[in-house]
């Protein structure tokens, strides 16, 4: 199966990347390069959440490392079966570095290490590929460090940056990258992918794809994780709970508590193992006594784990707000008589009740209140304060 099959609903992008991979293969095999090569040293993949921009970058990385013998017979790079493709896709290729963060930002220290790695010659003789999945999380200082490497790359180094939009990347960096825009795949394409690749029942796949409106990662989670379905069901009931002030405050507190509990569960799965592994590496004595001079290293790990919990809590809360926006989007569709398919058909009775009892103008104000809450959270406003303000605004309409 070619690596491009991982890109759901991105035929145009797949064609552009396949053409660039062919030109890249020509450059590696020392054949005369094409007059107008479609290959370049830096790429920027943008698209809405769930569009598959990171998957596109990894597929391109695999195609650049493809060593299939069929290439000599006119085969396309990116076969998906050879050692180069396989190890690139599963994350074990020596010349493909995939960087993703579960923290709030990527700092100067981590970026300098990436730049150092990018100066090395590829071990396999093809390309040194750096995939930065969260380029939008680079701090300003980190972006300036990266700029020099993108501006003056090593001969066989390729940078693949991913971000939600062009505005999320420094202008000086994006001006030196070839830009590819991915679109949100259709609900039908996502449902088909869940059935083919994950073996999910067609009805469940269709429901998950419809509920997430084409977000690939969320659709897979919703189709396979019972806890995710329960959390979403609770969020869908929120509009009925904000009819009086006490309900607003309770609903806000429950949203925060649910996000905090999810962050805690993630931390329990990861933090203990990380801490024990570091203690072992530092030579902790039997019974947990740490050698002298290691307190700073342990404090650095604790700070990292705290930032990760904050990021996880924010992501969980933002996901709930996205689902809540979908509720009012469906309400607005009913009020305007739109033929757009509803995302939340399982609560259609509630949607129709809200649509009959309110006006389109009030629905728009509620959607704006949710958007304002997401913006406030992004600007580090206290989560409970931001969510309480939102629930009170939802009540006012």
């Amino acid at each position: 199966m070619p690596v491009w099959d991982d890109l759901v609903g991105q035929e145009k992008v797949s064609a552009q990347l396949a053409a660039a991979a062919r030109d890249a293969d020509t450059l590696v095999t020392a054949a005369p390069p094409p007059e107008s090569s479609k290959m370049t040293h830096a790429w920027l993949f943008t698209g809405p959440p769930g569009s598959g921009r990171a998957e596109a970058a990894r597929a391109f990385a695999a195609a650049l490392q493809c060593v299939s013998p069929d290439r000599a017979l006119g085969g396309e790079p990116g076969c998906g079966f050879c050692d180069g493709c396989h190890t690139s896709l599963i994350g074990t290729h020596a010349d493909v570095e995939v960087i993703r963060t579960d923290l709030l930002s990527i700092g100067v220290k981590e970026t300098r290490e990436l730049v150092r790695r990018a100066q090395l010659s590829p071990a396999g003789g093809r390309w040194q590929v750096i995939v930065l999945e969260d380029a939008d999380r680079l701090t300003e200082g980190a972006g300036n460090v990266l700029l020099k490497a993108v501006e003056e790359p090593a001969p066989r180094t390729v940078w693949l940056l991913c971000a939600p939009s062009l505005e999320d990347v420094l202008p000086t960096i994006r001006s030196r990258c070839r830009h590819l825009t991915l679109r949100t795949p259709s609900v039908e394409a996502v449902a088909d992918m869940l059935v083919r690749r994950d073996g999910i029942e067609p009805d469940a796949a269709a429901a998950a794809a419809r509920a997430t409106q084409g977000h690939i990662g969320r659709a897979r989670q919703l189709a396979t994780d019972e806890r995710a379905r329960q959390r979403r069901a609770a969020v869908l009931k929120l509009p009925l709970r904000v009819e009086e002030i006490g309900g607003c405050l309770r609903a806000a507190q429950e949203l925060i508590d649910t996000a905090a509990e999810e962050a805690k569960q993630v931390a329990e799965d990861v933090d203990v193992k990380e801490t024990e592994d570091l203690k072992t590496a530092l030579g902790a004595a039997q019974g947990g006594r740490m050698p002298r001079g290691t307190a700073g290293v342990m404090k650095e790990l604790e700070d990292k784990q705290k930032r990760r919990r904050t990021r996880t809590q924010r992501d969980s809360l933002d996901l709930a707000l996205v689902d809540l926006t979908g509720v009012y989007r469906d309400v607005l569709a009913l009020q305007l008589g739109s033929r757009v398919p509803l995302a939340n058909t399982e609560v259609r009775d509630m949607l129709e009740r809200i649509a009959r009892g309110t006006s389109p103008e009030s629905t728009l104000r509620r959607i704006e209140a949710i958007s304002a809450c997401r913006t406030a959270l992004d600007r580090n406003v206290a989560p409970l304060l931001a969510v309480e303000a939102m629930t009170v605004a939802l009540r006012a309409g």
Side-chain angles (χ1 to χ4, degrees):
M1 181 178 71
V3 296
W4 315 117
D5 287 355
D6 287 336
L7 308 188
V8 181
Q10 310 294 344
E11 291 77 12
K12 182 178 179 181
V13 169
S14 298
Q16 290 177 286
L17 293 176
R22 287 194 297 270
D23 288 349
D25 192 56
T26 300
L27 293 171
V28 170
T29 54
E35 294 182 2
S36 57
S37 176
K38 297 178 176 61
M39 182 58 190
T40 188
H41 70 281
W43 298 73
L44 176 57
F45 297 80
T46 65
S51 58
R53 53 182 184 264
E55 287 75 11
R58 289 197 294 268
F60 187 38
L64 293 177
Q65 306 294 2
C66 183
V67 292
S68 170
D70 292 341
R71 294 178 359 267
L73 303 175
E76 295 284 332
C79 65
F81 296 104
C82 70
D83 183 66
C85 288
H86 179 67
T87 54
S88 296
L89 291 174
I90 67 174
T92 59
H93 196 290
D95 293 327
V96 178
E97 183 79 5
V98 179
I99 307 301
R100 63 177 68 89
T101 183
D102 48 13
L103 305 179
L104 295 174
S105 62
I106 300 175
V108 172
K109 180 179 178 182
E110 299 94 325
T111 308
R112 282 180 177 154
E113 177 58 29
L114 271 185
V115 171
R116 185 200 66 78
R117 163 78 185 255
Q119 300 305 312
L120 301 176
S121 297
R126 293 186 65 81
W127 300 94
Q128 181 78 250
V129 184
I130 311 293
V131 181
L132 185 54
E133 292 189 2
D134 300 294
D136 55 308
R137 295 189 180 273
L138 289 166
T139 64
E140 184 175 353
N144 291 329
V145 171
L146 180 63
L147 173 62
K148 188 69 173 176
V150 173
E151 198 170 33
E152 299 177 3
R156 287 289 181 84
T157 295
V158 181
W159 289 90
L160 307 180
L161 312 182
C162 306
S165 69
L166 286 173
E167 288 70 28
D168 291 312
V169 181
L170 286 176
T172 47
I173 292 179
R174 67 180 185 238
S175 66
R176 290 162 174 80
C177 298
R178 183 165 297 172
H179 180 216
L180 289 177
T181 302
L182 283 77
R183 62 178 185 174
T184 299
S186 68
V187 169
E188 293 75 17
V190 173
D192 179 66
M193 180 270 296
L194 293 176
V195 173
R196 287 188 296 106
R197 299 186 199 172
D198 299 288
I200 296 169
E201 290 296 323
D203 289 345
R210 182 178 61 249
T212 58
Q213 290 297 287
H215 190 299
I216 300 171
R218 288 183 55 211
R220 181 180 286 113
Q221 182 187 34
L222 201 60
T224 58
D225 188 347
E226 177 62 29
R227 290 188 304 179
R229 292 193 289 271
Q230 292 174 351
R231 288 193 297 268
R232 182 173 180 275
V235 171
L236 298 186
K237 296 176 183 177
L238 189 142
L240 297 179
R241 303 182 55 200
V242 295
E243 296 177 352
E244 47 93 21
I245 290 295
C248 293
L249 301 181
R250 286 192 295 273
Q253 185 64 63
E254 288 180 15
L255 278 179
I256 298 298
D257 290 345
T258 300
E261 179 63 26
E262 183 172 357
K264 180 181 178 182
Q265 290 174 353
V266 173
E268 288 176 349
D269 293 339
V270 179
D271 289 1
V272 173
K273 185 177 186 305
E274 271 187 349
T275 301
E276 291 303 319
D277 288 348
L278 182 59
K279 286 182 177 180
T280 301
L282 294 174
Q286 189 74 21
R289 185 179 179 84
M290 297 295 297
R292 290 185 179 181
T294 60
V297 179
M298 293 301 299
K299 179 66 166 58
E300 183 177 346
L301 177 62
E302 291 170 2
D303 290 342
K304 174 186 174 182
Q305 292 172 343
K306 182 178 179 180
R307 293 195 300 272
R308 183 168 58 209
R309 284 193 294 271
T310 301
R311 162 82 186 271
T312 303
Q313 182 174 354
R314 281 192 188 177
D315 288 349
S316 176
L317 191 54
D318 189 69
L319 179 57
L321 297 180
V322 169
D323 287 334
L324 189 57
T325 302
V327 171
Y328 287 108
R329 171 257 192 198
D330 284 349
V331 171
L332 187 62
L334 291 172
Q335 290 171 329
L336 298 178
S338 171
R339 296 183 180 180
V340 175
L342 300 182
N344 303 288
T345 54
E346 66 269 39
V347 291
R348 187 181 183 99
D349 290 344
M350 181 194 76
L351 298 174
E352 292 177 343
R353 170 185 165 186
I354 297 173
R356 289 193 300 268
T358 60
S359 67
E361 292 79 10
S362 65
T363 303
L364 285 172
R365 286 193 293 270
R366 285 169 170 143
I367 292 174
E368 289 172 355
I370 300 171
S371 178
C373 180
R374 296 179 69 189
T375 301
L377 292 171
D378 194 49
R379 294 176 178 173
N380 291 321
V381 173
L384 183 58
L385 182 63
V387 177
E388 284 180 345
M390 179 198 72
T391 54
V392 170
L394 294 179
R395 175 179 179 271

